[in-house]
Amino acid sequence: MAVPSRVIAIEGGFATVEAFGVTRTCNLMLLSDPVGIGDYLILGAGGGFAAAKVAAADALVALEYLEEVLADGRA
Amino acid sequence: MPFSEARIDLTFRLAGDAVVAVRVDSSRQTQAARSLAGRRPDQVVAMLPTVFPLCGTAQALAGMAAIERASGIVVDPAHVLARRMLLLGETLCEHGMGLARDWPALLGEGPDLGSARNLRAAAARLKLLLYPSAYWNRPGGGALEPDRAGLGSAVAAIGGEIAHLLAADPEEPAASPAALSDWAQGGASAAARLFARIFDDGLADFGATDFLPMPSNGPPDLAERLESDADGGYVARPACRGRVFETGALARHAGHPLVAPLLAAHGNGLAARLAARLAEVTESLRDLSALMQNLSDAPSAPTPGVARGCGLGLVEAARGTLVHRVELEDGVVAKYQILAPTEWNFHPAGAMARGMIGVPAGPKLLDRAWMLVNALDPCVVCTLMAE
């Protein structure tokens, strides 16, 4: 499972992203699409690289589901 | 509350001069799919690639297959073919990420991120080149309008990146063990150097154990075990009458001309498992090109679905057999289950754990175990420890 993370800062090919109150830094080298503040990224296993950029609408639906997973005690 | 990333911790217990036991601690969220209940089937399928992005295409395809079976929807063969192309593209991308990033790391070399990015971009393009309105993941099938010229370019780009990462036409090392050995000794790519290391250090049989390949249609008792899995124990630790199958490239390509002789000579150790991934790359490239010739752009409308039923969707993803099961009631999901390949291969009695029993202790133990982890390729982060 992965958590869509919102980009809050970008510097030198790296983005700082936030999800569920946790911030992480990831490498943007694997992405072909341009990334900006406010975009949502999916991080690869280990979190070191951004694996994909996802549309905000898709990210918000996924985050709502993941909140349910947490509330259900399944994460 | 933070959302913890899942991982698998492997602990090798040493006694005397060998590994005598392997403990597998998994924090994978194997029950999370149950929280999909209450949603419409199309909403679930749309979410799957975002929530389960590793092999996200395979996840959506398995979900669509399960939902279509539960609903009694018959999909046009043109969509079946197009979906197969998407799956092959993802399989090539996943194995390519191994070639570009994971295999060099096993040698202490840096990744080829440029090639990895190009490969992912080319594989991602397949979706819009087949389904320009973006509805590739719609139960029953979206608007299939293949751009044949664009697809030809994308498939050529995928093949070109794979050839770059291997520093060879993929067919060459995959032709036979002798061809693999020649290519490996040439050492022109990280993948070649990894095979050379494995053969030179006598590691071809490292991790070999009893070979229990996943049957081509999944475990024979799959449907009933999932149906009766009230507490989620089966999807967390699957087994079939006491057997824990090995799933993935080796199970699928055990009879390949490159793989079969290695399997006979060295068992299901590093050489056969990594060679099976090379074999799968060549087979997938060949299949992708062949399927492209048979694409149709005028699929019939799907048969209307029913609102109640139960369905199983089984897809051979890059890492192995991926299964989704759904129960529909009144047009919404009443129950959803996912059984992923990692639960077989990294089961406490699975191929990884069994393969490490009896392995000699020593300063290179964890480095070699890492090679085996990469050969089996779990879908989460893994940590290794010896005690």
Side-chain angles (χ1 to χ4, degrees):
Chain A
M1 289 183 72
V3 181
S5 302
R6 188 170 167 272
V7 177
I8 55 176
I10 299 176
E11 187 175 347
F14 288 81
T16 303
V17 298
E18 183 276 334
F20 289 100
V22 175
T23 60
R24 293 201 277 186
T25 301
C26 64
N27 190 319
L28 299 174
M29 268 288 289
L30 289 181
L31 299 183
S32 305
D33 298 330
V35 173
I37 306 290
D39 284 344
Y40 284 87
L41 302 178
I42 297 287
L43 307 191
F49 287 89
K53 183 169 127 177
V54 293
D58 293 339
L60 294 173
V61 169
L63 286 168
E64 184 185 328
Y65 160 70
L66 292 168
E67 281 177 12
E68 288 176 38
V69 172
L70 274 174
D72 294 343
R74 291 173 174 147
Chain B
M1 184 196 296
F3 207 99
S4 304
E5 183 177 14
R7 68 180 208 208
I8 293 174
D9 299 321
L10 298 173
T11 306
F12 308 122
R13 190 153 64 80
L14 307 176
D17 57 358
V19 175
V20 295
V22 178
R23 193 173 73 239
V24 180
D25 296 308
S26 172
S27 62
R28 283 172 49 73
Q29 298 104 338
T30 54
Q31 313 306 318
R34 290 179 181 245
S35 296
L36 293 167
R39 291 172 169 80
R40 292 196 320 267
D42 60 309
Q43 291 174 320
V44 169
V45 173
M47 282 172 59
L48 288 171
T50 306
V51 178
F52 302 100
L54 200 69
C55 291
T57 301
Q59 296 280 1
L61 295 177
M64 283 194 287
I67 285 165
E68 286 158 355
R69 289 205 178 95
S71 315
I73 295 172
V74 178
V75 179
D76 189 285
H79 286 302
V80 176
L81 194 151
R83 290 176 183 182
R84 174 84 184 135
M85 288 186 68
L86 295 179
L87 183 64
L88 289 169
E90 181 173 79
T91 296
L92 284 161
C93 192
E94 291 298 322
H95 289 320
M97 289 301 290
L99 298 174
R101 182 192 59 193
D102 305 333
W103 294 16
L106 295 173
L107 299 166
E109 299 181 13
D112 186 342
L113 294 179
S115 194
R117 181 182 60 238
N118 294 342
L119 189 57
R120 294 170 69 91
R125 279 207 304 278
L126 295 179
K127 292 189 177 80
L128 282 176
L129 291 166
L130 287 163
Y131 295 93
S133 55
Y135 293 124
W136 66 274
N137 53 347
R138 172 176 286 183
L144 176 60
E145 298 170 38
D147 172 349
R148 288 175 176 74
L151 285 165
S153 299
V155 171
I158 292 170
E161 290 300 337
I162 295 286
H164 167 72
L165 289 166
L166 296 175
D169 180 331
E171 297 279 353
E172 288 175 20
S176 67
L180 179 78
S181 178
D182 288 347
W183 166 76
Q185 294 308 322
S189 65
R193 291 189 287 278
L194 179 61
F195 274 100
R197 167 83 60 88
I198 287 167
F199 289 122
D200 293 347
D201 290 358
L203 298 175
D205 63 352
F206 185 89
T209 180
D210 47 330
F211 184 42
L212 303 173
M214 176 68 74
S216 57
N217 292 317
D221 60 353
L222 179 65
E224 65 233 52
R225 293 298 302 273
L226 282 170
E227 185 177 1
S228 62
D229 189 29
D231 65 356
Y234 178 70
V235 297
R237 290 191 174 183
C240 176
R241 297 174 195 126
R243 292 169 301 168
V244 180
F245 295 122
E246 173 170 349
T247 185
L250 182 58
R252 290 190 286 256
H253 298 284
H256 187 278
L258 168 65
V259 182
L262 292 171
L263 194 54
H266 305 291
N268 58 345
L270 283 174
R273 287 190 177 124
L274 292 172
R277 293 180 67 185
L278 274 190
E280 185 149 275
V281 164
T282 59
E283 296 286 323
S284 299
L285 280 170
R286 217 180 288 153
D287 289 352
L288 199 50
S289 297
L291 289 172
M292 204 165 53
Q293 309 306 318
N294 297 316
L295 275 171
S296 157
D297 55 358
S300 57
T303 54
V306 296
R308 191 165 193 274
C310 169
L312 207 61
L314 188 147
V315 165
E316 283 300 326
R319 291 171 178 78
T321 305
L322 171 66
V323 181
H324 284 218
R325 180 181 181 274
V326 65
E327 291 178 18
L328 299 178
E329 285 178 16
D330 298 326
V332 299
V333 171
K335 185 177 180 184
Y336 206 99
Q337 296 158 283
I338 297 177
L339 172 55
T342 294
E343 271 56 74
W344 291 98
N345 290 339
F346 288 81
H347 185 289
M352 178 71 207
R354 293 200 313 271
M356 287 300 295
I357 300 293
V359 162
K364 295 182 176 174
L365 172 67
L366 295 185
D367 286 347
R368 291 172 174 178
W370 265 122
M371 289 189 185
L372 191 58
V373 167
N374 272 274
L376 286 164
D377 201 15
C379 52
V380 290
V381 168
C382 212
T383 68
L384 304 183
M385 195 172 72
E387 65 178 23

